[in-house]
Amino acid sequence: MATLSLKDIRKSFAGIEVIHGVDLSVKDGELVVFVGPSGCGKSTLLRLIAGLDRPTSGTIELDGRDVTGVNAADRGLAMVFQSYALYPHMTVRQNLSFGLENTRMPKAEIARRVDEAGRMLEIGELMNRRPTQLSGGQRQRVAIGRAIVREPSAFLLDEPLSNLDAELRVTMRAELAQLHERLATTMIYVTHDQVEAMTLADRIVVLRGGRIEQVDTPLGLYNQPANLFVAGFIGAPNMNLFPATARDGQAELPGGLRIDTGPGAARDGKVTIGIRPQHMHLAEAGEQTLEGRVELVERLGAETVVHAVTAEGTTFVTVLAGQPEVAMGDTLHVTPDRGQVHVFDADGQRVARD
Amino acid sequence: MATLSLKDIRKSFAGIEVIHGVDLSVKDGELVVFVGPSGCGKSTLLRLIAGLDRPTSGTIELDGRDVTGVNAADRGLAMVFQSYALYPHMTVRQNLSFGLENTRMPKAEIARRVDEAGRMLEIGELMNRRPTQLSGGQRQRVAIGRAIVREPSAFLLDEPLSNLDAELRVTMRAELAQLHERLATTMIYVTHDQVEAMTLADRIVVLRGGRIEQVDTPLGLYNQPANLFVAGFIGAPNMNLFPATARDGQAELPGGLRIDTGPGAARDGKVTIGIRPQHMHLAEAGEQTLEGRVELVERLGAETVVHAVTAEGTTFVTVLAGQPEVAMGDTLHVTPDRGQVHVFDADGQRVARD
Amino acid sequence: MVTAPLTLLARIVDPPLRLWQRWTGLNGMAAFFLLPNMAIFGVFVLIPLALNFVYSTTAGTNILLRDRSYVGAEQYARLLDCANYLEPLTCREDQFWTAASNTLVFVIFQVSLMIAVSLITALILNREIRGRSFFRAVFFFPVLLSPVVVGLIWKWILQRQGLLNLMMVNLGLEPEVWLNDRFYSFVATIGVSTWAHMGFYTLILLAGLQAIPKDLYEAAEMDATPPTRVFRRITLPLLGPNLAVVLVLALIRGVQIFDEVFVLTGGGPGTSTLYLTQYIYEVGFASLLRNPGLAAAASIVMGAVLVVLTLAQLSLSRRSERAGER
Amino acid sequence: QDPTEIRIQWYSDGIEGEVMQDLLDRFEEENPDIDVVLDNVAYQVIQEQLPIQLASGRGPDIARVTNLKEQAQHWLDLRPYLSDEQVAYWEENFGNRFDWMREDGSDAIPGFLTQLTMVGGFANATLFEQAGVEMPGDGATWDEWVEAAAQVMESQGTAAAFAIDRSGHRISGPNASFGANYIAEDGSPAPIDDGTMEFVTKLVNWTNEGLQLPDVWVSAAGTTYRSGADDFINAQIPLLYSGSWQVANLSTTIGDAFDWVAIGSPCGPAGCSGLAGGAALVAIEYTEHPEEVARVMDWLASEKIVREFSERTLFLPAHAGIVEEGGLEFQSDDPNVPPALDRFVQASGETLPLADQLPAWRWANAYYGALVTRISQAMAGEITLDQARELMDQDIADVVANANQ
Amino acid sequence: MSNMTIRQFVGQRRGHGGRWHWTDIATWIWLIGGTILMFGPALWLVMSSFKSPAQLAEFPPTLLPYAQETVMVEGYDDPLPLYTARLEDGTTAELAEIRRIGTNSQMVDPADPGTRIDVNIADRTPIRSIGFATGNYVEPLVANDFPRFLWNSVFVTVMATLITLLTNSMAAFALSKYRFRGRDAVMLLIVATLMVPLSVILVPLYSVVNFTGLLNSLWGVILPTVATPTGVFLLRQYMLTIPDELLEAARMDHASEWQIYWRIVLPLAAPALAVLAIFSVVWRWNDFLWPLIVLSRRELYTLQVGLNSYAGELNVQWHYILAMTVVTMIPVVLVFVFLQRFITTGIAGAGIK
Ligand SMILES: Nc1ncnc2c1ncn2[C@@H]1O[C@H](COP(=O)(O)OP(=O)(O)OP(=O)(O)O)[C@@H](O)[C@H]1O
Ligand SMILES: Nc1ncnc2c1ncn2[C@@H]1O[C@H](COP(=O)(O)OP(=O)(O)OP(=O)(O)O)[C@@H](O)[C@H]1O
Ligand SMILES: [Mg+2]
Ligand SMILES: [Mg+2]
C-alpha cells in the first residue's frame, strides 16, 4: 500500500552529479521495473527511495507525505541489496527473522513466515548455515527472503535474480509476481534481464546516464520506443539500426531496400530505420531483400542468431527460428516485416508511421 | 596454453560432501561452460581448479602435471570471482595492475594493458575510483579486467557477466570470445545465461548436485539431452515434459495426441515425452492438437510465452512468435513438431527415436 | 613519504621469499612470518619467564640465580598455606591473600567499568560529530601520562585539601577525606585506573568499529532495527574479535595494576587497596623484605590464574571470533 | 692518552647533584687524567637496579647509596689504594661510621657518608604562638609534645596535632626512648618487646583519637614510605617528626609563611633518642680503575670539600673533624635554617645505644618493615595490637629464615 | 560521507530537519562531561607545571600558577612582597612587608617608606598575580644533556615502533590467516605471556640482556620490547575481520604470500596498525623501568631516564618532573594527532558481494 513520487531528484557524489533531475510517480500496487545500462544510476535511485542516501535536491513523497528527510528505518520499505548485505554472523534463519523480531511479532508467526519464505526460495535446508557457507545463488535467495518475510508496503529489489539459474529464475519470477498480487504491494525492481522486465513490469522505466529516457508499459516500449536509445536497449538482440537518407518520404536501406518513412517524418533528410532481428524472415522469391554475407552464427537451439554484413559494410543481425542451415560465408537474403519497421528522425526521436 | 584434467574429484565441507567424484578433461584452448542449478557446486569446482581449496580426494592435472597440492599463486591461472573480491583499498587502476606488478612486468607494459582492458570494459573513466564508488556492474567489469590483463594460460570465470545489462553483456561476451580466440587460452566459464552458454561454449558441462550430468557441445545438449534433467535445464522456457504410458510403441499425450516412442524405447511401459515450447505451432485445421485453456500470457515483444492447462490438468508452455492475439481463458490448439519430440524412458534416460 | 624505502625493501625481499614459498609451501611461509617475532619473543620473554619459574623454586636474598638455594615447592607451600582461604589473616602470607581478594574485586568492577566506558566512548567517537579528532585526542590524552604522574594528579585532587574538597566546600558541601575511607579509596583506584587507560581501549574498539561493513548497517536500517538492537545484534557480535582483545588486555592490566595506585593510595587505607602487584613488588624488591623467590612464586600463581581466566574468556568469545573469520 | 673515565651513580633529593657536579668539575681541572661522569639517576635506580647490577658483578665505579650494610660485599676496600697518611685521615674523620657499610668483622674502608641524617621533630612556631601555647622545652616527653600540639590543633583548627613519617626507621628512635630493644644477644632479632609496644600503642591511640594525621600512616599499605612534610609545610599540623634532610626542603617551600624550629626528639622513659642515618658515597668493587677511584674518593672526602658540600646542600656533615670544629656557614638566608641544623647536630649526641647500633645492624630493615606494615594495619582497625605483635614477630622471623637459606 | 546509515547509528543527528534525537543529546553530554573529566586534570597538570615548589605543595591548590607581587621600596635593596592588610582602624591598605617576626609582620606603605606599620599576620593576605615559573622548564633543559637524551629517545621510539609493527604484523598475519598445526598453541603462548608484568621478570631479563651483551646499548632497550604479545594479539584479532576472499583474489593474481601480506593485509589492517603504532610510540617514549636497567651511562639515557633523576629518596622535585612530563608529552601528542586519522579509514567490506 504505497504510492511514490519523485520530484526533480538530483544526486551528486563528491560534486559529480550522477542523477540529473528524475521525475517519476508510481501508483499504489504498481510494479515498476528500472532498466538501463550499467552505471546509469538505478541502484542510486533505489537507495534514494529507500532513504539510505539523501538526494542533493528534489523531494521524495511516499503516500503523499514528503519523506525526503525521513530515515530509511521510518519509511517502512524493504530492500534486496545488489550486494546482498547479509549478516555474516547470523544463520540463514536468523538473517530472515532479524527484521521481523524488530517488530515484536510473535515467535510463532515469525517462524511461520520464515519457513514459508524458505520453502518458496528453496533454501529450507540451509536454515542453519551461515552466509559464508552458501553458494552465490543461495545467498541471493536469502537476501530476497529477508525482504519478503517483512511483507512491507513497498519492495525495492536490486537485481534480485541475477545469480540464479534459468529454471530457478523463472520460478522465482513467478513467485514474486504472485507475491506482488497477493500483497498488492508496490514494487520497484531493477533488472538487466529483458524477459524479467517484460513479464513482470506494469511499467518499465528506461534510464540512461542518470536521466529517464522513457516510461511505458513493456509492450509500449517494445512497439513504440521513444527514441533510438530505447529502441536499441529493449529487445535482444538489439534492434538493427540503419542510418539512411529519406527522399520523398522513402528511405533507402543498404542493398536498395526502400522503406516508407511515414507521415510523421520530414519527407527529406536524415533518418534512421530500425528493424528488430526477429522482424525479418528469409526472403521468399521475388521479395525485396536485405542481402548480407554471414559473419557469425549463434545457435541457441530454439532459434539461431545470424550476424551478417551488407556489401556496404553495415552489420545487421537477424533471428531465425529453429536451427536453419546457415553457415559462415553464406549469403543471406532477408526481408523485413514492413509493418514492424521503426523510423527515427535526425534527433533520434521516433516518428509515427501511421 | 593449458590442458586440464580432473580425476574423481570429491570435496566435503565439514563432513558434508558437495562434489561427488567429478571427472573431466579440458583440452588446450577449449572454452568449457559449467551450468547447473544454484548450489550444485560450480563455484566449488572452480575454486578447486584454481587451487584456492584442496579437494578431499582426487587429483587435478594441469598440462599433464599433478597440481593437486600446488598453491593457487603457482598454478598461473586467473579467476573472476563470483563475489568480485576487489581490493577495497586500491583504485581501479591499482586493482588491475596489481597482478601484473607481481610478475615484475615493465611499468609501460602494465599501463598499456590496463588501459586496454579499461577501454574494452568501458571503465576507462573510472580508473581512479575505489570499488566503493562503483556501481555493481562496474565492479564486475573491474573483476573481469583484473583477470584478463594477466593474459594467463587459463581463465576461470564465475558468472562474470551476471550484473551487466543486456547490451553490455552482448558486447562483453563478444570481447571474451575474441580474447579467447586471440590468446588461445583455456577458459572455464560459469554462467546461468543460456544464451551465453550456447554461444560461447565449445562444450557445456551440466552439473547437478555435485555430479556431472552431461558434457557435450551446445547443440548436442539441446538436441540430444541425455536425460530428463538436462532436457529440462537447457532451453528457456523449459521443455514440456508429459508423463505417459507407451503402448505398442506409441505414447498418448493428454488430449489424445499420439507420439511414436521410436525404436530405442520399450514398446510398453512408462515413458516421458518432452516437447520444447518453441517446437509447437498453432494448429492448422485438421492437425492433431494439444488443447489447453490459456492461463498466463507473457508478451516479450518478439515472442509470446503462453502457459496453458489441458483438460486433464497438465500444464504446458508454448512460445509463439510475435505478439499473437491470445488472451487468458482462450482455448489454445497447438501441434508439436513431430520431428522435435523427445522420449525418455522410465529412468529418465533419453531414448533415440531414429 | 617515509614509506618509499620500505616499499623498495619489500620489493627486494620478494624474490627470495617466492623461492622459499615455492620450496616450503604455505607452512614454510607461516614459519617465516612467525620467526622474527617468535625469536625475539623467545629470547626476551620466554626465557626470562622460564627463569622466573626457576626463581620461584629458590630461596634466599641473593639476586642472581646461581647464588640462590633450591627449595622446591616451598615458596608455593608458604603462599598457599592457609587455614581458611576466605579469611586472609588465617593464612601464613596474609598479605598475599588480602591482596588477591582485593585484586579480584577490583578487577571485576574495573574491567566492567572499563569496557562499558570505552565502548560507549568508541561508539560516540565513531559518529560523525564535529571536532571528532579533537575529542579523540581528549579521551586518549591520559594514556600519554606516566602512571606516577596520573597517581599524583589524582592525589592532588582527592587528598584532604585537594581540588575536589575545595570544590565541595565552594558548593557548600561537607568535605570528606576520600583517601582515608576504605570505600572511597577503592572506588578511587577503580576510577583513576579507568581514567588513565580507557583511551587505550577506546582506540582499539574504534579501529574495530571501522572494520564492520557499512552495508550491514544499511540492511539493518531497512529492517527498521532500533539502535539498541543494532548495537546488540550487529555491532557487538561483529566487534567480537576486537572486544576479546579489550577484554583480555583489560583483565590482565587490571590484575597488574600498580604504579598509579601505589602513588594514589599506597595500598591503603589499611590494606584495602593493596593489590597483587604491589604485594609482589614489596616482597621481591622493596629493600626491607627482599624475598625474590616468594615474589616469583606469587607472580606465577597470579599468572596461572590469569591464564585460566583468559582461556575461559577466549573460549567464550570463540563463537563471535568465528563469525569474524569471514 | 685518554683520561680515565670514572662513573658515579648519584641520586638527588635536592640540589646536591648540581653541587657535586660543580665540585667534580673542579676535580677534573685539577686532575686532567681523570674524567669523572656523574650519572644522575632516580633513587629508585639505586634501590632496585643497582643491586641487580652489583649482583652480576657490574655497576658504576662509585655510587651514592643508602642501603649500606646489606650490600657491603660489593664495596671496594680503598685501604690498599690510600697512603698511610690518607688512611689515618679517613679513620680519624669517618672511622666511627665504617661499620655501617662493611661486613661485620671487616676493617675495610668502603667510602664515606656524604650526609649524616638525624631523625627529629619540627614545630610550627608561628602556630604555637598564635594558639598561645607554650612550646615544651628540651627534655619534654612525647606525651607533653602531643598534648601541646593537640592544644594548638584545637585552637587553630588544624587537621591534626602531629605526624610521624610513615617509616619503621622513624619510630625506632622513639621506641628506643621507651626502652625498646631489637637486638638479641647473638645479634639476631629479638622478639618485639614491651618498650616497642608501649610507644606503638601510644601511636595507634593517638591516631585513633585523631591527633596523629591518619593520612600518613593509615592511607597506605605495606612498607610504603609516606612523609607528613607536605601537611607541615601547609600548616596543617603544628608538629612533624621527620628528620634533618627536611631542612632544605622546608626552607624552600615554607619560605616566609611561618617560623619553624627543629626540636630534636621528644623523650620517653629511657631517653630522648632519635636515629642517625645517612647516604654514603662508596667505591664499587668491580671498578677497573681502583687507583683513580681512590683518588676521586679521597679528594671528595677531604675536609675542604666536605665542608663546602655541607654548607651548600644544608646537609649535616659526617666528618668528625668538621663536627668538632663547627662553624659551618650554611648557605641560606632563611633565619630558620642554621638553628635547626644546629639542633640536629645536638640531637645526634642524644641517641641511645640501640639507636647507635641500628644503622650497622643487619636485621634493621626486617624490623622496620614489620613495624610499619603491621602498625598501619592496627591503626586501620584491621588487626588488634596483640595480633600486630604476633605478626611482626612472624614477619621478622620469615625474613631471617629466608635470608639464612 | 554519503552514507546515511552510518550517520544514523554512528552518525550526526538522528532526527533530520533539525530535530534532536535523544542519542544526540546523550552524545554531547558524554563528550562534554568526558572532556571536563579527561582533560580537566590534564590541563591542571600543565598549569601546575608552571608552579613553584612552594605553590605545588600549597593547600588548597589553585588552578593557575600564581606568584607573589613585589615592589621596590625606597631604602630597601630587594623588592618587598605586597600584602593587603587590615589595619587597626578597620580599613585595608596595600602594604609591603619588610620582615615577619613571629605572628607580627612589619610592614610599610610603598608610597610612604618612612613609617613602619605592625600588622598581625592573620590580618594580612598576600597579593598575588598569575606568574609562570618557567624555570621549571628552563633549568632541566639547560642542566641536563637534553638534546642527547632527546635523540636517544627518538631513536629508541622510532626503531622500536618500526620493528614492532613489522614483526608483530607478520606474526599476526600468520596466526590469523594460516591454518597450521600448533597455531592455537602459539597463540595461547603469546596470550599467556601477557600475564606477566615486566617488573616481575626484571631480574631474569637483566640476566638475558647481560648474556646477549646488549647492556648499555640502545638496542638492549629496543629489542626486548618489540615482541610485545599485546601487539600480536591486537593485530591478529583485527586481521580476523579481513575477508579471506581478498587474499584468495591476490593468490589468483599470482601474488606471493609476502606480497599478500605487504600489499593486501597491511593496508587493510591500517586502523589496527595505527592503533599499535600509537601505543608503541607512547610505550617506548614513556618507558622508564626497562631503560633504567639496561642503561647506566648518561650518554645513553633516554628522556624518561634522564628526567626521572629528580625523584630522590626523601624528596621528589615535582616541579621539574611535571614540567618535563609536559615537555615529553608534546611529541607524542603530535604523533597521535598524525596517526589517529588512519584509524578511521575503514574500507573493509566493500568489494565483496
Ligand atoms: N564453506 C561451506 N560450508 C558448507 N557448505 C558449503 C560451503 N561452501 C559451499 N557450500 C555448499 O556447497 C554447495 C555448492 O556450492 P557452490 O558455491 O559451488 O554452488 P554454485 O554451483 O556456485 O551455486 P551458485 O550458482 O548459486 O553460485 C552449495 O550447496 C553450498 O551450500
Ligand atoms: N560513492 C560513489 N562515489 C562516486 N560515484 C559513485 C558512487 N556510487 C556510485 N557512483 C557512480 O554513480 C553512477 C550510478 O551508480 P549506480 O550504482 O546507481 O549504477 P547502477 O545503475 O546501479 O549500475 P549497475 O547496473 O552496474 O549496478 C555510476 O557511474 C557510479 O560509478
Ligand atoms: Mg546497481
Ligand atoms: Mg557460485
Side-chain angles (χ1 to χ4, degrees), chain A residues 3 22 27 38 40 49 51 69 84 120-121 134 138 157 190-191 194 198 218 234 256 270 275 287 299 354:
Chain A
T3 68
V22 163
K27 286 193 285 290
S38 171
C40 70
I49 295 170
Y84 314 157
M120 166 176 156
L121 299 165
L134 299 180
Q138 289 164 342
L157 304 120
V190 175
T191 184
Q194 299 258 345
M198 298 301 278
I234 299 288
K270 294 227 166 297
I275 309 170
E287 273 186 322
R299 294 176 191 281
D354 35 38

Side-chain angles (χ1 to χ4, degrees), chain A residues 136, chain B residues 43 82 158:
Chain B
S43 302
Q82 192 173 8
D158 201 347

Side-chain angles (χ1 to χ4, degrees), chain A residues 12-14 16-19 36-47 53 82 158-159 190 192 207, chain B residues 126 129-139 141 163-165, chain E residues 2:
Chain A
S12 308
F13 289 113
I16 301 165
E17 199 172 80
V18 299
I19 303 286
S38 171
C40 70
K42 302 179 294 296
S43 300
T44 306
L45 214 47
L46 230 52
R47 291 173 56 85
D53 284 338
Q82 193 171 7
D158 202 347
E159 308 189 19
V190 175
H192 287 310
L207 288 161
Chain B
L126 310 173
R129 296 231 191 128
R130 293 262 166 87
T132 25
Q133 301 171 320
L134 300 180
S135 80
Q138 289 164 343
R139 286 181 205 179
R141 280 177 276 164
N163 282 94
L164 304 183
D165 59 276
Chain E
S2 64

Side-chain angles (χ1 to χ4, degrees), chain A residues 164-216:
Chain A
L164 303 185
D165 60 277
E167 192 174 354
L168 201 54
R169 187 139 53 186
V170 172
T171 326
M172 290 302 135
R173 197 204 310 161
E175 295 278 4
L176 286 177
Q178 240 179 48
L179 190 81
H180 174 228
E181 203 153 296
R182 181 160 60 81
L183 301 178
T185 47
T186 310
M187 276 194 187
I188 298 185
Y189 193 106
V190 175
T191 184
H192 287 310
D193 187 310
Q194 299 258 345
V195 178
E196 245 164 75
M198 298 301 278
T199 53
L200 278 177
D202 290 326
R203 282 191 300 158
I204 295 180
V205 176
V206 183
L207 288 161
R208 177 196 188 189
R211 283 200 184 77
I212 291 184
E213 290 284 326
Q214 188 174 1
V215 184
D216 207 339

Side-chain angles (χ1 to χ4, degrees), chain A residues 47 88-89 98 102 150, chain C residues 218 222-223 225 229 233 326:
Chain A
R47 291 173 56 85
H89 56 299
F98 185 76
N102 292 334
R150 295 256 322 279
Chain C
E218 296 188 340
M222 287 313 295
D223 278 345
T225 319
R229 216 171 115 80
R233 295 294 305 276
R326 259 167 301 148

